[in-house]
Each structure stands twice: as C-alpha cells, then as structure tokens.
Amino acid sequence: MKPPRFDYARPDSLAGAIALLAAHNGDAKVIAGGQSLMPMLNFRLTSPRLLVDIARIADLNHISAGADGVRLGALVRWRDIERHPTLAKLHPLLVEATSHVAHYQIRNRGTVGGSLAHADPAAEMPGIAIACDAQIIVVGRAGQRTIPAADFFVGALMTALEPDEVIVEVRLPPWPGERHFAFEEFSRRKGDFALAGVAVFYDLDGQGRVIDPHIGAIGVTSRPVRLNAAEAALAGRAVDEAAILAVAALADDGLDVAEDIHAPADYRRALLQVLLERALRRAARLPDAEQTQ
Amino acid sequence: MNEMTMPGRQIGRSLPRLEARDKVTGRTEYVHNLRLPGMLYGKIFRSTVAHGRIRNIDVTAARAHAGVAHVITGEDVRKVIPRPFYGPAFHDQPVLALDKVHYVGEPVAVVLASDPYVADEAVQLISAEYDELPAVFDEVEAMSSQAVVHDELKPAGTFPDLKHLQGRRNTNVALDFHLRRGDVDKAFATADRVFEHTFRTQQVLHLPLEPFVSVAEPTGSGITIHTASQSPSFVRIEIARLLGWPENRVRVKVPYLGGGFGAKLYIKLEAMVTALALLVQRPVKVALTMEEQFYTLTKHASTFRIKSAVNKDGRITARHCEVWWNGGAYADIGPRITQKSGFTAPGPYDIDNVSIDSYSLYTNLPPAGALRGFGIPQLVWAYESHADMIARELALDPVEFRRRNILREGRPQATGTLMRDAAIEAVLERLAERLDWNKSFDRGSGTVRRGRGLGIGFKASISPTTSIAIVNVAADGSATLYCSTVDMGQGSDTANAQVVAEVLDVAAESVRIVHPDTDVTPYDMATLGSRSMFHMGNAVRLAAQDAKAKLAALAAELGLPPGSNIPLPELFRRKYGMQAGNVIGIGSYVPTYESPNHDTGQTSNATPYWMIGGTAVEIEVDTETGHVRIIRIINVVDAGKPINPKIVEDQISGAAVMQLGFTMQEKMLFEGGQVTNASLADYKIPSILDIPPMISEAVDAQQHDGPFGAKGVGESGTFALSPAIANAIEDAVGVRVTELPITAEAVYRALRTAANDPLEDA
C-alpha cells in the first residue's frame, strides 16, 4: 500500500512548524526520520491531512554535555549516538541501548524525538527516558514546557504532547563515571521490537551498598515503566548473587504485563525476570549465570 | 580464449546467471510493471466470515464512488463463465464467491477503476451479510466434524484416484490414500518395542517478495493473459476450459517471477482477470498486496501419528503412518500431496511391513497447496524426530540407528518400487563426516548448552508429466531455446542454456532463451516439484540433439563428409544462397510410470527419480530464555550430477533458509478463521541477520537417465532441517518439541515443564 493523500510542508523555523500544527488542530503530524510514521501511513493506520517535516529546522540535531547532563536534540539519529566520540563515556547506558534499535537502515534515519513521540511500548529510547528520569522539552503555541518522562508516556503510542507541540530536546541527568549499569533485551529476531527489555543503573556508597537504583523496563506493559518493587529491594544492598535473585524475583511485581501475538504474558514475565538478573549481574560485574544445571 | 567463452565442457560450469545483470540494474521485466492502454485495476472485497451463506452483497455505495468503473460479483462472472469453478484436482474454487463463502479472506466482489487507490477506497464501501454456518479449522476435527465445508465434492476428472469422490456429500475428506505392505499387525504383535508419537506442523505461506499479479487483455479473437505464473500451459488449458474456447484463443505470457515456491501454480488470479476483462472489454490488472497473499495460498498444517515396531537390535520391523493434511477451503493440489508425498511417509528406511493412511481435509482456512517440498518437510519432521526418539530410548547412537535401517540401493521402498540412483547412504555418511560426529563435542555448561542433530529425507518426483522444447539454430549459427519453464529465481534459464550449449558445442552465454508465451513456446506441465531440470532438461537436450542431427543431415545433403567442421553460417549459405533459413530441433520428454494399486499403493515404478536431502546442525540453547542459536547448518543432497554447481548450492541454501523460517519463527495466527498477523511486520520470515553459517553441497552422484546425469534440487534443502534442529535441542537440553515452529517461547515452556515448574498461563 501507499499512504493516503496528504499535504507536505517543510518550514525553516520552529515557529513556522508550530503555526502549521496549530492551524490543523490535530490533523497534522510531525515527520522527522519517518521510520515509524511512514509504515503507519502506508498501512493506512493514520491519515493526517498534513505532514510537517522538521528536518530543516536549525539546532535540533545537537548533542551536548555539561554539568546538567546530556542533551540530545530531537533530530539526533541513532547513528549519531553510535558514532559520537565521547557519548560512550558521557552516557554509556544510552549508547548501549541504542545498539539494540532496529537495523542499519532504520538507525541511519530514525530520530530520538521521533521515538519519544511515537511512544512504542517496546522501544529503547522511551525506556531510557523513563529509567533515567529524563526531561523532555517541548515547544508549542503556549511556549516551551519541560515534561518529566514519567508524565510524558501516557499509554501505548500515546503521550502528553499537545497537537501543536514539537519535541525539541531530551535531557538526561548527569552520569557519574563510576556508575554501575547494564541494558538487556530479548527480541524474536535481530532488530525486532523487544519482547522485554531492562535498563539498570545505580551508584555505590563507601560500603559498597546501592544508592538510588533505577530500573526501567520496556515491552512488558503499555508504556515503559520503572520496576518500583525491584528498585526498593535493591536500594541499600550489596549486590551479590543472592541480592540479584531476590531483586529479580520482584521484577513483575505490580505490573499488568501485556500479551500480544508475539508472546503471552507469562513468557514476557519470565523474560523480564531473567533479563533483570542478567542486567544486575553485568552491572555488578559479576560472572554470568550460576552453574545451576 | 578464456573459460567464459570457450565452447564445449558446458556441464559442471558455475556459470553466473544469465539474467543477473539485468536484474540488479532494474531492466528485468515483471508483470507488476506492466501497464496497458485503457487498463483498469481491480481491488478485491473479501469475506469476513469463515463459513456462511451469502444473504446480500451491497455494492451501491462503491458503484457510486467517484472514479469507479465497475463493481463485479460472483453472479456477474456467470455471464462470461457459466460454470466458474476451477482447480487442478477439484473444480471447487469459484472466481468470486457464489452462494457461500468458505474462509475469511475469500474474494467476494471486485471494484474496477483506472486508479487502484480509488478502487481500494470503494472496496471499503461494500458491505455483505452472511448467514453464518459452523466452521471447522483443525484437520483432525475435520475428519468427523458436523461442519462440512463443501456441500458436494467435485473432482476435476484429471486424476483417476479422485473419480470415486464425485458427488460425495457430508464429508471433508478430499482424498484418502492408503498403502499396505507386508503384515503390519503381526509385526506389531511380535515386536520387542513399539513407539508411537504424534507431530504437528503449522500453517505458513510462501510470501514471494513479488505478490500475485495477473493482467488480462481481450483481443478481437481471444484473450491474452500476462501473469506471474509457474504454470503457463496449465493456465491456458484451464482458462480455455472455463470459457469453452479452443486452447489457441488463449495466450498466456510469463516474464520473470520474483519468487514462486509453489504459490503461483494452476489458477490463482488468472480466471478472475479473464472474467473481469471479458465483462468490461478492457484490460484488467489485479495485483495483490503482501497482506492479500495470506488469503490466497498457504502450506498445509498437518498432524502425523507415527508408530513403529522395533526389535532389540534396533531394526524397524513395521511402521504405521496416519497423516492428516489441512487443505483449507479449496483443494488446490492438496490431494496430490496426500498421495504423492504420502507414500514416502515411512521415511528412507527399509521396513518390511508398512501401512499408510493419508487424508486430505477441507477446513475453513485459506487454501493450502504446494510449497517447496510438496508435503515432504511435514513428513520428515515427524519420521526423523521419531527416529531420534527411538534411538534415545534404545540407547543407540542416532546415526547408527539410521545405518541399521537405511533404504539401500536396489531395495524396495514402501510402494514396492526398487530404489535406484538414490544416494541416501552417501548423504547420511557425508553429514556425519561434516559434523565430526565421531569426535568429542563441547556441550556447553550452565545456562548455555550445546547440541547437535541430523535428519535425512527423500522425495519422489511428480509423475508422469510432459515437457516439450524447441531449439532454433539461425543462419548465423546462433541458437535460441523456446521453452515454457518459468525462471522464478531458480536459475533454469542458465542451466537450460548450458544443456543446449553442451550439445551444440557453443558457449552457454551465447544461447538465447525465449520466455513462456503459449503462442510461441511449447507445452510444459509446470515449473514445480523440482521437475524442470530432469523433465525439461531432457526435452532441451533432445531438442538440441535433434537440431544437431538436422544440421548433420543438411551437411550430408550438401555433400560434405560426416563430421565436417564447416562453420554453420557457411552451411546455411550453401543451402540457401545467402544468410537465410533456420534449423528447428524439437524435444519431447515424458518419463514412464505405473499408477499405484488403489487398495495397496503398490507399484513397480512410483517415480522417475528420487531426491535426497539431509541436514545436520549444531545449536546452542539459552536455558533461561529458550533462545536457540544455530551455530552452523550443513546441508547435503543428492542432485545427480550438477549442471551448474553454484546454482545447485544456492538452491540448497535458499531452501534451507526458507525452511529455517518455517522451523523457528513463522506461523499464521488465526482468530475465528481470521489471520491476525498478515504482514511482514508481524509474520517473521528470516532476515539476512538471522542466517547462520551454512555449508550446502551435493554428493558425488549420477542420475542415469537425467540430462547429463542431473536431476532436480529446488526442494531438497527443505526436507530435514526441522527435525535436525529438534534433535539437536533434545541433545542439548533433553526436551523434545513435537510441534512447529520451535520458538524460544516453545523451548522455554518445554524446559520449565521438564523441570516440573511449568509456566502458569499454559
């Protein structure tokens, strides 16, 4: 199939884009890399009257780092993150998660802002935003606002964005050099959306006990989530095998795990638990699974 | 002269495909690119119920939609085709639904417009009402279900073993095939051990990247059909039958295909575009979307209950096979699969006492037909899984167990036909050697366990079928081959050119191939079942030899000594006084065959040749996720003596990759008969990143009556891959999967069950 008929505009300024979106009152969509929107158009799952291409808008493809953390412009592509000279040091969790995004062709075109706005429950970037307490900067007719990731993802493919708003930047809080972290996901084929995925990071106090653990999960519920029970169980503990098993056993605690044609809920829960075990082991730099068999 | 241009020695050359450059530079002709003046595009409105009587089809709004030329229903079709039912085995399939619908996705109406998107919009405006009827989806349930898919069976009359089904009512059995050899009951009664297992395969589909497409063009005197078909000659005959016309008023043209795999056989869209074009007297094109392929033709889901009597030294003394094939709503070629593949159900083993009951069933699912292997992969899945399970129970090495039972050259197969040119042992031994079977193997530890496994399978060729070829030598000595074999990516143009070139002693690159055009190229049964290299290859060889003999006769007529090496242009000049004339060689080939006895399935000549395919794998199982990583695949086949070794290797590996998808990932999912994953986003075929390291090779072999010793190879790589993987998984982690596909979830579930800790929702 080909997309239904639509108009196309490529404004040079953010103000121009916002004006177009506002004028169409929900009947226009922003297009950047087009890696989610184009398939939806071709399958005719959506039929906006206007596509507003933001590719020509200046200053949306910056990657910068400072005392307040890492800032990624909405037009930053996965390939930009992979190739960036210092990002692997500045935010290694982001870089590791990005390596799981789809295939080369998609990584060459897909954007950070597009992934956040599309809000697929199994996508990596929304999961990183949730796990890291990212701030999402959006601009609309009413001006700029900053939306915490926790408030941004409302449901499957649903966000807090207003129809006239454009994501301009995502801010990830500062990343200390000594931080423990890991990202794990499981998909049916290489590059497919995750059946389940886990992002973990924490710091250690002077006694080797976990401070402020963050555990995010993708693919298991209608939106990326924090695993609150597992985080609470991990906080204040030294990370040994016993702690890992105890924490991972709480992985799906309180979650309404989703089922779809690719996997039933029980298998997703099992995957979530084992991925969390693996992520915790890797974050703690412990050896792989115990010789249990 | 380099090797590329040197004439002679054309057999055994890995000549690059003749069409490769045109394909990669976008010059190749496909039906999808064809546009004719005044052409209308048809878009199909499909049934939303699995089984129902049509109460009403409301096309008013669609007809009124701006830009719509016509809306056509089944009743309209009768104006040009009074009895609009087609099919190779049964005349059961209507051009558009009449009275009843039999599956979700069945074509009910067509909108015609000069813009395909307008037609598509109008399709959304059609509505239909049905009185729903009970539906049946499972092949075993269909044996005894109250839901009956067709009111009355209508065999086509083509196949003698279907005639007795004429007019039969209240049954879903479209064919029951039986074979009896020896005394099975007695052997089971006296056996040391009896093993019985049941295996299932899922419904999958071909998914050629070029979806189905046909164009029909009314001419003053007849009709021309441009179609992506594997069987142009069949299309001509069947369309002529439907129209009540002589064959010569129907012209069928086929350019290259973007894959076929058995989907594009017999009638698919051809009857529909013919009816539409004749009704509106304009050219009509129907090009399906990827999604619509899910509603068109699929591979049989199957259930196979296999039972073996084995004595204590590991010899199989009897085997009973019961196979149920889920044929979907229309029989297509399913009854042939039930019989042709059915008789190999006991596997390539030497068993004195055999019984087979094989049933073709109608259900309310999208129709099933031939798919690369013609039922063989479903059978090998069962008998080679069963083989390892028996060996394991008897504490025998799986290779040694096979050696003790293998069907050797000269021994009778279950039909009584003696095996000839069937390198079954050589394939088994080569697999074991390539796998280093006798050497120690790192079995992994902790949560990553390794295993290895193998399987062997065999297939009889379809028979008896005809191929005819024409070789035309022009006055300058250049040669052109006219044949109706369809090159759908398998490399038949190149291989046939090599056969012509070998006989005429010219370079294969210089031979021109004329593609199927039934006004021009002679009859060929179809491009299917790995039959072309043997059947058409023989016809092409005979045609080239005929041309060569006629050239020799011409030389003799002109008084030249026998064996004269006079250049061909000079020969023609001497005959005709200028560059003029041509020499036409004709080759016709049909192998011998003896129909099996209806009650016992016995025959002295079941097949012109046997195809042998085996696969061995090493795999790694992640016991915490069920993920199976395939470390390497080894495919070994008997293809006779390869005409083009590189193309043979590609055919083997391509078949194995296709079967890898059917083994690990692919499955059509249904809800009330509705496919729920009808897209390449949700239905997971292997991508380039999912293909493991692979070795594909043919053993040193010779088919005594094949063209230069060759035989078919398109399917052999599919036979044994699935059980090889399941056997390796049991070897690695001790769990047995008996149903395809072997997803990570299925393996994980089996591991949890084996650990007495089953996943809760199961």
Side-chain angles (χ1 to χ4, degrees), chain B residues 190-264:
Chain B
T190 58
D192 292 333
R193 298 285 300 271
V194 173
F195 300 92
E196 182 182 317
H197 303 115
T198 299
F199 299 90
R200 301 196 64 166
T201 66
Q202 80 286 31
Q203 194 170 13
V204 296
L205 77 164
H206 314 69
L207 276 179
L209 289 183
E210 177 205 39
F212 299 88
V213 56
S214 299
V215 177
E217 181 186 4
T219 63
S221 57
I223 192 154
T224 300
I225 302 167
H226 309 263
T227 181
S229 170
Q230 295 174 234
S231 52
S233 301
F234 181 95
V235 169
R236 178 192 228 188
I237 291 170
E238 186 74 341
I239 295 295
R241 180 188 70 79
L242 287 166
L243 295 173
W245 291 1
E247 274 191 58
N248 66 4
R249 288 178 65 192
V250 179
R251 179 178 193 180
V252 180
K253 295 181 75 170
V254 178
Y256 281 105
L257 263 59
F261 315 113
K264 296 170 179 171

Side-chain angles (χ1 to χ4, degrees), chain B residues 181 343-344 346-351 383 405-425 456-461 603-613 638 702-705 711 719:
Chain B
R181 180 172 182 80
F343 76 68
T344 69
Y349 298 108
D350 195 340
I351 308 171
Y383 65 66
N405 291 288
I406 206 161
L407 188 56
R408 292 175 205 279
E409 193 79 355
R411 291 287 302 160
Q413 191 266 342
T415 54
T417 296
L418 302 182
M419 299 305 290
R420 184 162 189 205
D421 295 338
I424 303 170
E425 269 185 280
I456 51 173
F458 75 143
K459 177 177 188 282
S461 168
T603 167
S604 66
N605 185 5
T607 176
Y609 59 97
W610 299 96
M611 288 162 273
I612 320 298
D638 170 6
Q702 182 87 14
Q703 178 65 33
H704 75 281
D705 51 358
K711 62 183 165 189
F719 296 169

